[in-house]
Amino acid sequence: QVHLVESGGGLVLAGGSLRLSCAASGRPFTAYTMGWFRQAPGKERDFVAGISWNGQSTYYTDSVKGRFTISGDVAKNTVYLQMNSLKPEDTAVYYCAAKHRGYSSDPSLYVYWGQGTQVTVSS
């Protein structure tokens, strides 16, 4: 199994940028489809971005297209989420997750989860 640890969250002004990292251990992240999810207080956990095991396909929810970029570094066994032009509505706890087989935006299909990292965007 894979162990995931997120980092890089923080407080940023609207319009600013953050890069989240998801460090994988135990197995290479390339053995999985990887995803980033977020959960705001009182709301469900929502899909943000995903990347296929070989890095050739990426997926984004509509609200972040053109602003967020998911990528992976095989040598560091780490998946990143570059977040630009941040908005107050991006405020949430961000989670990294891994699933077997192909892409899905359904969080219930992801087997392994990190502990989350808080992102707060102030206006």
Side-chain angles (χ1 to χ4, degrees), residues 2 31 33 64 67 84 104:
V2 65
T33 291
V64 309
R67 300 189 298 124
N84 299 328
S104 174

Side-chain angles (χ1 to χ4, degrees), residues 6 19 37 39 53 64 74-75 77 79-81 86 88 96 100:
E6 303 96 333
R19 188 178 77 159
F37 294 79
Q39 187 167 20
W53 69 272
V64 309
V74 174
N77 205 20
V79 176
Y80 301 99
L81 184 67
L86 283 161
C96 175
H100 300 288

Side-chain angles (χ1 to χ4, degrees), residues 33-102:
T33 291
M34 301 296 295
W36 283 97
F37 294 79
R38 63 187 180 188
Q39 187 167 20
K43 295 188 176 182
E44 295 183 348
R45 190 168 297 187
D46 292 330
F47 172 79
V48 176
I51 187 166
S52 61
W53 69 272
N54 58 6
Q56 292 186 356
S57 298
T58 57
Y59 313 89
Y60 300 93
T61 192
D62 286 347
S63 64
V64 309
K65 285 180 181 177
R67 300 189 298 124
F68 291 11
T69 304
I70 188 170
S71 63
D73 186 326
V74 174
K76 295 183 178 180
N77 205 20
T78 299
V79 176
Y80 301 99
L81 184 67
Q82 178 67 44
M83 306 187 295
N84 299 328
S85 302
L86 283 161
K87 304 175 180 180
E89 51 263 45
D90 294 318
T91 296
V93 177
Y94 283 70
Y95 298 90
C96 175
K99 69 177 298 292
H100 300 288
R101 291 185 281 279

